[in-house]
Amino acid sequence: MELTLTPVTEQELARLWEPLQVGYAEDLVAHRGLTPEAARERSAEQLRELLPEAAATERALLRVGRVDDTEVGWIWVNLPASADTRQAWIYNIEVHPAHRGRGHARRMIQLIEAELAELGVPELGLNVFGTNTVAIGLYRSLGFEVTAQQMAKRIDPPS
């Protein structure tokens, strides 16, 4: 059973949109200290900015991962904005819960890398929250390297 990537349809994106927006908002609350309301607003705003034409957005590679006829997850990569920008960017990769632990995320990244290589894109980047140790291990095993770090410290109010 070989995993394949196919372009996301408008209907598929409509179904994936809400969980993406909610998940990103939850991460903003947990990792950026936003209130749930502010996080929902920022998540919705950023997704609208990044995908203004939904699945038809220029330079957005939105792909569904399938094994046979079963959707196992999806990946979203934006191509570089100009010739000066060498790096494509992974905005989202997700394996649906029932299909995790089978190497599908690894294979989706390998397939998108092959697609990017054919397009002449020499580099692929992503952000990962520091607490997502499973993803960090996967990305390192695929050859991703840390190029920047963002750190934070919680400060307790005076007693």
Side-chain angles (χ1 to χ4, degrees):
M1 295 187 285
E2 177 67 21
L3 186 136
T4 59
L5 293 180
T6 58
V8 170
T9 66
E10 292 294 336
Q11 295 81 11
E12 289 168 332
L13 185 58
R15 178 177 43 78
L16 297 167
W17 191 269
E18 182 69 17
L20 173 64
Q21 186 173 323
V22 168
Y24 183 50
E26 289 170 354
D27 284 337
L28 290 173
V29 169
H31 301 286
R32 298 284 189 261
L34 273 65
T35 65
E37 298 78 23
R40 280 192 299 274
E41 288 175 22
R42 176 157 318 156
S43 176
E45 177 184 319
Q46 287 183 333
L47 289 173
R48 281 191 307 271
E49 287 175 5
L50 291 167
L51 293 171
E53 302 299 322
T57 300
E58 188 178 347
R59 296 186 344 268
L61 303 179
L62 298 157
R63 304 290 185 260
V64 171
R66 288 191 172 79
V67 174
D68 295 327
D69 290 331
T70 303
E71 179 182 315
V72 299
W74 70 290
I75 187 169
W76 164 20
V77 173
N78 272 22
L79 296 172
S82 69
D84 296 336
T85 309
R86 301 169 36 88
Q87 190 178 72
W89 196 260
I90 295 176
Y91 277 100
N92 191 65
I93 181 166
E94 182 176 337
V95 175
H96 302 316
H99 303 282
R100 292 182 182 158
R102 301 178 193 170
H104 296 318
R106 173 179 302 281
R107 190 64 184 138
M108 283 193 287
I109 291 171
Q110 291 169 333
L111 290 171
I112 208 76
E113 285 178 358
E115 187 173 347
L116 292 169
E118 285 190 23
L119 294 170
V121 177
E123 192 170 306
L124 179 61
L126 56 83
N127 280 331
V128 60
F129 290 110
T131 56
N132 193 344
T133 56
V134 171
I136 291 169
L138 170 65
Y139 300 143
R140 284 190 175 141
S141 75
L142 284 165
F144 286 82
E145 299 174 349
V146 174
T147 58
Q149 287 187 323
Q150 180 177 358
M151 301 174 84
K153 178 183 177 184
R154 303 255 184 240
I155 299 174
D156 294 326
S159 29

